[in-house]
Amino acid sequence: MNHCENPKHKAMFALAYGSGLRVSEICALRVQDIDSKQMRVFVHNSKRGKARYTILSRQCLGFLRDYWRSFRPNHPEELLFPGWRNLTSITDRAINDALKKWLRAADITRNVSMHSLRHAFATHLLEDGTDIFTIKELLGHSSISSTIVYLHMANTGANLISPADRLHGNGR
């Protein structure tokens, strides 16, 4: 994040990684969807119209506050990230263009997309011990099979201890 100088872009990227939001969900966020007391984000325009809550990281909240102080968005529908002249919502293309600029500034040459940040959110939660059903709800998936596709690269077995080793006192 150190290479991203635009507070608006930094807040959007932090929402994709820290809350697992789709780019379309970021475009549709309203100011009132950010709940800093409960540390959660309400996603009302999710895929297939399914509403959900997801988590809000403290780091992301800081980025959102920096963005708010810098830009003071003033959209008639209270969109958090208005687009051109505050008349429209920011577009997914504008967000993806900002991501490409950020990746160039950070000298990252791998193929990274906003969806990659959502994938990383899910994968890192699983690697940290979050159960797959919680991850499913945070991502807004209707089916657990959709969540499993996201998690194919998770390294979950690295710190596992066999129950047999625990019984015999051979655990780590």
Side-chain angles (χ1 to χ4, degrees), residues 89-115:
S89 168
I90 193 165
T91 63
D92 57 349
R93 182 174 179 171
I95 294 173
N96 285 314
D97 288 347
L99 177 66
K100 287 176 189 171
K101 181 179 177 183
W102 173 44
L103 294 171
R104 276 192 306 274
D107 201 26
I108 296 173
T109 57
R110 287 180 304 220
N111 186 19
V112 177
S113 66
M114 289 295 287
H115 203 72

Side-chain angles (χ1 to χ4, degrees), residues 1 4 6-14 67 81 90 94 98 101:
M1 286 294 201
C4 183
N6 184 312
K8 182 177 187 177
H9 298 160
K10 194 178 282 194
M12 292 185 299
F13 303 150
Y67 159 64
F81 300 111
I90 193 165
K101 181 179 177 183

Side-chain angles (χ1 to χ4, degrees), residues 72-143:
R72 298 267 186 219
N74 185 18
H75 188 270
E77 295 171 24
E78 296 191 40
L79 289 173
L80 183 58
F81 300 111
W84 189 73
R85 295 189 183 189
N86 286 332
L87 299 175
T88 62
S89 168
I90 193 165
T91 63
D92 57 349
R93 182 174 179 171
I95 294 173
N96 285 314
D97 288 347
L99 177 66
K100 287 176 189 171
K101 181 179 177 183
W102 173 44
L103 294 171
R104 276 192 306 274
D107 201 26
I108 296 173
T109 57
R110 287 180 304 220
N111 186 19
V112 177
S113 66
M114 289 295 287
H115 203 72
S116 302
L117 298 176
R118 178 174 158 84
H119 257 276
F121 167 79
T123 301
H124 293 157
L125 282 175
L126 185 69
E127 289 175 347
D128 288 343
T130 306
D131 70 271
I132 196 164
F133 296 102
T134 300
I135 296 169
K136 171 191 168 288
E137 293 302 315
L138 292 173
L139 292 173
H141 289 156
S142 299
S143 166

Side-chain angles (χ1 to χ4, degrees), residues 147-166:
T147 310
I148 290 169
V149 169
Y150 272 64
L151 305 174
H152 69 280
M153 298 197 48
N155 184 14
T156 57
N159 295 316
L160 291 178
I161 300 169
S162 169
D165 287 339
R166 278 202 194 106

